[in-house]
Amino acid sequence: MTDLLPSVDALAARIPDGAKVAVPPDYTPGANALWRAAIRRGVRGLHLVGVPVFGYQGDLLIGAGCVAAAETSAVTLGEHGLAPRFTAAVKAGSIRVLDATCPAVHAGLQAAERGAPFSTMRGLIGSDILARRADWKVIDNPFGENDPVVAIPALAPDFAVFHARKADRHGNVWIGVRRECMLMAHAARDTLVTVEEIVDGDLIADETTAAGTIPALYVTAMAEAKQGAWPQAVPGHYGADDDHLAHYAELARTEEGFQRYLAEVVLGREAAE
């Protein structure tokens, strides 16, 4: 049964130090209110998995000192440029980076989703990324001859964390076309979700929402958070706050600017309410 928690802070408290956490790309709503709460709580040592990339939410966590490892195919703020705190951390050697590709991230999660030990791919052969991933193995296709494939081990996060437009009181969460969230929830041990609203009825029973709904079976806990993805967009509710994201990108170029951002936005926004 999904736990309906009274606050985003209570949901953030579910994430312990050192957890492996899957997060979606910036074009999918991130649980940014939850992450601001986690930063205020002082979570440390996270292993972030970008599905298949991450941006603002991950850069914020890295800058705040919450991340020990980043496993992803890219970290970027999109039209706002490079992810400055990620870039600084890589240059300083303060986080471990596990280079991946978008298909490889999905392959690992799909193996975990099926309960399989690994998935196989061919597209990585011939690339130098294999030299940087000792956990990926080139094996012989047992059904062919002279046909090497790459075995990608199952990627099973401790937590999948994202934001969604709505959920019902049974714990079913509607994600619409954002299927990466479905994959994350299937692969992870626990799934924590913030939602814009909790509605009456049953999203699974309604054929207009059923196909885009994660059943409560896969949702460990959730909390309502109005504008919980801000400054990212939630289609149908609000657009991205591009001015704010540009402001973040500018401030986060320096450690001093990032600390100012933390003080103004993370330590001041919800904390002052």
Side-chain angles (χ1 to χ4, degrees), residues 151-164:
I152 307 293
L155 179 53
D158 298 313
F159 296 93
V161 179
F162 54 88
H163 185 76

Side-chain angles (χ1 to χ4, degrees), residues 75-76 120 242 268:
V75 184
T76 174
T120 58
D242 288 326

Side-chain angles (χ1 to χ4, degrees), residues 66-152:
C66 303
V67 178
E71 184 170 0
T72 184
S73 57
V75 184
T76 174
L77 298 183
E79 65 184 44
H80 301 290
L82 297 175
R85 291 299 90 202
F86 169 75
T87 301
V90 171
K91 289 180 177 178
S94 59
I95 64 170
R96 178 184 177 215
V97 178
L98 289 83
D99 287 327
T101 67
C102 296
V105 170
H106 282 278
L109 291 169
Q110 287 163 354
E113 179 183 40
R114 300 192 308 269
F118 60 86
S119 292
T120 58
M121 295 178 55
R122 287 192 177 89
L124 294 164
I125 294 175
S127 72
D128 60 4
I129 196 170
L130 284 174
R132 303 180 61 84
R133 290 299 300 258
D135 55 331
W136 296 354
K137 307 293 185 183
V138 178
I139 63 174
D140 290 327
N141 175 6
F143 302 103
E145 294 183 6
N146 300 316
D147 183 21
V149 293
V150 179
I152 307 293

